[in-house]
């Protein structure tokens, strides 16, 4: 069994035992956990999240997970703002730089948080994925920092493609982010 498989098994057991949703050992801290991984293992992480969703998303389960793929949230924002269908044409006519700025203008934390808070209603475990897919338009620390003002009691696991030191992250193990991460390394 690989080191990643051992770590994923540990997370699975913590979910299964309800340790994560009961916020065991956290005191009054916000129940945010970060699972960092080698970006090359992205497909394995996606399979793991599917497994969690399959094994715990049934009527009567005490664990009610929801996956929040930040890229899917971003696409929903673009559709809400009526930008999605014109991106390709806009890039052809205005160039990549202007298109990038247009996408940045709708990448506001409140747009993400509004959609996320609707999607997590009624769930007691949030699995955040798609961090690498939505970069550089949105960053994980911005999501977590803004989410705490709306959802501070629901257990949340952020799957991060890179490294997490316990206080800061390096996306893809390359781009260092000096922002403080209020979360616990899950394994």
């Amino acid at each position: 069994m690989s080191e990643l498989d051992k770590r994923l098994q540990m997370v699975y057991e913590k979910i299964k035992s309800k340790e994560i949703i009961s916020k065991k050992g956290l005191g009054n801290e916000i129940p945010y956990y970060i699972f960092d991984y080698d970006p090359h293992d992205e497909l394995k992480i996606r399979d793991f999240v599917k497994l969690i969703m399959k094994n715990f998303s049934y009527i009567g389960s005490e664990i009610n997970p929801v996956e929040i793929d930040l890229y899917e949230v971003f696409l929903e924002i673009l559709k809400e703002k009526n930008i999605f269908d014109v991106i390709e044409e806009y890039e052809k006519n205005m160039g990549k730089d202007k298109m990038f700025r247009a996408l940045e203008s709708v990448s506001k934390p409140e747009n993400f948080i509004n959609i996320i808070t609707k999607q997590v209603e009624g769930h007691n475990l949030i699995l955040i994925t798609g961090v690498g897919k939505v970069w550089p338009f949105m960053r994980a620390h911005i999501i977590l920092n803004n989410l705490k003002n709306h959802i501070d009691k629901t257990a949340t696991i952020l799957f991060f493609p890179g490294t997490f030191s316990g206080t800061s992250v390096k996306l893809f193990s390359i781009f260092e982010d000096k922002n403080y991460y209020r979360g616990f390394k899950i394994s």
Side-chain angles (χ1 to χ4, degrees):
M1 184 180 279
S2 73
E3 189 62 34
L4 177 63
D5 289 331
K6 290 176 189 173
R7 291 179 63 216
L8 291 172
Q9 184 63 37
M10 189 183 312
V11 172
Y12 187 88
E13 293 303 322
K14 286 181 179 184
I15 292 170
K16 184 178 172 184
S17 71
K18 300 180 213 116
E19 179 181 329
I20 289 175
I21 63 169
S22 68
K23 302 165 203 85
K24 195 174 183 180
L26 290 183
N28 275 338
E29 291 292 324
I30 296 174
Y32 289 167
Y33 302 92
I34 298 174
F35 185 90
D36 61 346
Y37 60 92
D38 185 320
H40 292 101
D41 293 321
E42 178 67 30
L43 296 178
K44 192 171 236 184
I45 297 302
R46 289 181 194 177
D47 287 343
F48 177 74
V49 171
K50 285 179 190 171
L51 177 75
I52 296 296
M53 295 302 296
K54 177 184 169 212
N55 288 353
F56 297 106
S57 295
Y58 60 89
I59 296 172
S61 175
E62 292 181 56
I63 300 161
N64 188 8
V66 60
E67 180 185 2
I68 303 295
D69 182 326
L70 296 178
Y71 183 70
E72 295 297 325
V73 172
F74 187 51
L75 293 179
E76 193 169 327
I77 292 167
L78 296 177
K79 289 173 185 172
E80 281 183 1
K81 304 291 182 187
N82 296 318
I83 296 173
F84 183 78
D85 294 329
V86 297
I87 291 173
E88 188 176 348
E89 193 63 36
Y90 193 84
E91 181 181 5
K92 283 180 192 172
N93 295 333
M94 305 303 273
K96 286 183 182 186
D97 290 338
K98 283 191 177 184
M99 183 207 57
F100 186 84
R101 283 194 299 277
L103 294 177
E104 266 186 330
S105 72
V106 297
S107 301
K108 294 182 170 104
E110 58 269 17
N111 292 337
F112 278 82
I113 299 305
N114 288 338
I115 291 171
I116 292 170
T117 53
K118 290 175 195 168
Q119 291 180 355
V120 302
E121 196 172 303
H123 296 274
N124 61 4
L125 177 60
I126 303 167
L127 308 172
I128 299 178
T129 62
V131 172
K133 294 187 288 184
V134 77
W135 184 85
F137 298 107
M138 184 51 59
R139 299 190 178 184
H141 80 277
I142 293 172
I143 292 295
L144 292 181
N145 287 339
N146 283 278
L147 202 55
K148 74 178 183 208
N149 297 326
H150 302 273
I151 303 166
D152 62 350
K153 298 195 180 355
T154 306
T156 301
I157 302 173
L158 175 83
F159 290 90
F160 188 83
T163 53
F164 175 52
S165 70
T167 56
S168 64
V169 295
K170 246 185 180 178
L171 184 65
F172 309 128
S173 299
I174 298 172
F175 302 108
E176 189 158 8
D177 191 344
K178 303 271 188 208
N179 293 291
Y180 173 71
Y181 277 73
R182 189 172 185 172
F184 300 96
K185 193 167 180 120
I186 193 162
S187 70

